[in-house]
Amino acid sequence: DDFQMFERDLPGENKSGLSGQEIGKLPLETCETLNGSWGYNIKDNSYKTPKELVDYLVRAAGYGANFLLNVGPMPNGEIQPEFVERLAKVGDFMKVYGTTIYGTQGGFIRPQEWGAVTEKGNKIYLHLLKQKEDKWMLKIPVAFKTAKYFKSGAVVKFQKLDNNYVVFDINPAQRDELDTVIEL
């Protein structure tokens, strides 16, 4: 199959200056490394944090893109302990939130500074990656009946306003340091 690749960048963002093409109609993929190198580099200690990796993964899903994460093995074929640690943390995240990523499509809005939206079937997942306020407003163009925190299932209070705007009352006790996910 043909696909459109965005190297070290999310589709259409061109933050790295390497992928300035427009998003087409092909399936999307973005690729990144755990540090700054595609292969093993003993001097490259600029490791991405688990938070940075989860943010990238969620934002890629918010664009409807596959995320290819490169791991350059050491000369003996082993994976660096720093990589193993980070991959394990992303794996722990996916054990909880994988449903909100795997098999989803990009949401009704492109990823924003606060996070991203993914959709699957009749469910919408709001990924709050950088949301710190207790009140949060978003324009949601589709009807929904309930809102709950994906991890705990606890109800999220919300108020619908005019023009499809919704104000969510975010409970600080329900925040997840990597990604607070609300399921609609």
Side-chain angles (χ1 to χ4, degrees):
D1 247 352
D2 287 332
F3 65 96
Q4 189 174 5
M5 166 63 73
F6 295 84
E7 186 175 305
R8 296 198 123 141
D9 217 343
L10 291 166
E13 290 191 0
N14 197 26
K15 290 182 179 173
S16 68
L18 299 174
S19 55
Q21 74 257 12
E22 295 291 321
I23 296 174
K25 296 184 188 228
L26 295 172
L28 303 174
E29 181 169 273
T30 182
C31 59
E32 185 53 275
T33 61
L34 282 165
N35 58 0
S37 304
W38 289 104
Y40 176 69
N41 182 343
I42 195 168
K43 296 179 181 179
D44 186 351
N45 296 319
S46 59
Y47 307 112
K48 291 172 184 68
T49 66
K51 173 69 173 153
E52 289 172 318
L53 294 169
V54 166
D55 280 11
Y56 205 90
L57 170 67
V58 167
R59 290 179 191 285
Y63 280 108
N66 181 57
F67 178 36
L68 174 67
L69 183 58
N70 179 70
V71 176
M74 297 185 293
N76 65 4
E78 294 181 16
I79 305 297
Q80 292 174 246
E82 298 86 356
F83 290 179
V84 171
E85 173 193 343
R86 283 155 178 79
L87 291 171
K89 296 222 186 226
V90 173
D92 290 343
F93 169 82
M94 291 299 288
K95 285 176 189 172
V96 175
Y97 295 108
T99 299
T100 71
I101 302 292
Y102 290 125
T104 62
Q105 59 186 22
F108 58 83
I109 185 174
R110 291 174 54 128
Q112 305 289 311
E113 181 65 27
W114 52 262
V117 177
T118 58
E119 299 182 24
K120 185 191 304 184
N122 67 346
K123 303 218 176 177
I124 297 172
Y125 303 105
L126 308 176
H127 294 265
L128 307 181
L129 298 169
K130 295 185 179 178
Q131 176 58 35
K132 301 298 179 203
E133 291 83 32
D134 292 342
K135 299 281 186 195
W136 179 63
M137 186 168 63
L138 180 65
K139 187 172 187 173
I140 302 180
V142 295
F144 67 94
K145 296 178 184 174
T146 62
K148 66 180 181 177
Y149 294 101
F150 183 81
K151 186 175 182 178
S152 70
V155 171
V156 177
K157 295 177 184 176
F158 63 90
Q159 178 185 5
K160 292 182 179 181
L161 306 175
D162 293 335
N163 298 327
N164 295 329
Y165 281 95
V166 180
V167 176
F168 293 93
D169 187 8
I170 307 299
N171 181 344
Q174 294 290 334
R175 284 199 175 103
D176 185 303
E177 69 181 63
L178 293 178
D179 181 13
T180 303
V181 180
I182 297 173
E183 177 184 307
L184 307 180

